Amino acid sequence: MREVIEASLRLFGRSVLGCLPLATVGTLLGQLPAAYDIAVHGRPVPLTAASLAAKDGQWWALYVLGTLASLALWAIVLLKQERIATGGAHGSVPLGTTLARLPAIFGYCAGSFVVMLLASLPFGLIAALVPMSPGQRGALVLLPVLVTAAALSLGWPALVVDRRGPLKAIDIGLRLAVAHWRRLLLVLAAVLATGIVMLILAGLAIGVFAGLAAPAGEAVQNSLAAAIMIAAVALMVLYLSAFLLVVFDDLRVRTQASSASNAA
């Protein structure tokens, strides 16, 4: 597992300058619904079952458009990182090629949502029927969703880099996860640890810069905090993209080696 982490860090470092602007724009586009809430209500609105039911058509249109635009940009980031990893040219990835894959990307996301829903349903029923604390209930539902999401994420490189169909990409991700589930759990632990570290660093940076900007007023402090969080999320997306590409290639090579060994 150490070699996978080192390889992903190297790829992250080599791609950060060329890909960070795209990852940042993708992150911003994903915040269009939040920006709409601020424009309409004057503040961010927490996403709950009640608030989602009250959303209007404009909010949902921005959510769909922002999500698809973010995914398109993150697909371009993955393709650029794949070129860097294989020693290819560092030129731009054709936008039209990625946009043509938007229906496949949408199908992959919709299919993944259905799979996660089906995977969490039995645990949700247990949480609803068996008395337990709110923390236990949340963990019982959240952990299967996280594991299933990690397994399904292995289909993203198959969809984007290998240009597989949505269902085939989901199938590839699940098959790789089942075949190498122990390694996948280590991957999930590494990703969570990385996310926690980045959030801690972002929180420290916000605290430092907010203190320095205190004389400028609350508005400047809030703007700095938002900018730091967006940069942190963009860096996290960029690292996860590199990590996912390396893990996908590692598991695919292991699967091919195992198949060749069994055939011999």
Side-chain angles (χ1 to χ4, degrees):
M1 193 61 193
R2 178 182 176 182
E3 68 277 7
V4 172
I5 296 175
E6 291 176 349
S8 62
L9 286 172
R10 286 195 299 269
L11 180 56
F12 170 73
R14 292 168 60 193
S15 64
V16 67
L17 291 179
C19 297
L20 185 57
L22 283 172
T24 303
V25 174
T27 302
L28 287 171
L29 289 173
Q31 296 303 308
L32 286 178
Y36 178 78
D37 281 336
I38 293 174
V40 173
H41 304 288
R43 59 180 177 81
V45 178
L47 294 181
T48 63
S51 67
L52 286 175
K55 299 296 185 184
D56 57 23
Q58 290 178 309
W59 189 93
W60 284 107
L62 287 173
Y63 177 81
V64 173
L65 291 175
T67 300
L68 287 177
S70 296
L71 290 171
L73 288 177
W74 292 339
I76 293 175
V77 166
L78 187 68
L79 288 170
K80 288 173 71 70
Q81 288 180 322
E82 192 270 339
R83 286 187 178 185
I84 294 172
T86 56
H90 287 238
S92 60
V93 176
L95 179 61
T97 303
T98 305
L99 292 178
R101 295 284 292 167
L102 277 179
I105 291 174
F106 179 80
Y108 169 79
C109 293
S112 297
F113 175 78
V114 171
V115 172
M116 285 191 290
L117 184 64
L118 292 175
S120 63
L121 186 59
F123 300 93
L125 290 174
I126 294 174
L129 297 175
V130 178
M132 60 183 68
S133 67
Q136 291 173 328
R137 186 176 293 110
L140 183 63
V141 176
L142 183 59
L143 286 177
V145 171
L146 286 176
V147 173
T148 307
L152 291 167
S153 69
L154 295 174
W156 180 244
L159 180 83
V160 175
V161 177
D162 293 346
R163 302 183 64 81
R164 301 280 190 163
L167 296 181
K168 183 61 177 178
I170 291 173
D171 179 65
I172 289 173
L174 293 176
R175 287 180 182 274
L176 287 175
V178 171
H180 306 281
W181 64 271
R182 292 183 181 88
R183 199 166 182 82
L184 180 62
L185 290 178
L186 293 176
V187 168
L188 183 59
V191 168
L192 289 175
T194 302
I196 291 171
V197 170
M198 286 191 170
L199 286 176
I200 291 174
L201 292 176
L204 291 174
I206 289 173
V208 171
F209 283 102
L212 294 175
E218 185 178 354
V220 175
Q221 288 180 307
N222 292 337
S223 298
L224 278 174
I228 291 171
M229 283 305 301
I230 289 171
V233 172
L235 285 170
M236 183 68 181
V237 168
L238 191 57
Y239 174 73
L240 288 177
S241 180
F243 194 85
L244 185 58
L245 189 62
V246 172
V247 169
F248 175 74
D249 185 65
D250 173 69
L251 296 184
R252 183 168 55 177
V253 169
R254 289 175 179 273
T255 299
Q256 292 171 348
S258 177
S259 299
S261 177
N262 291 335

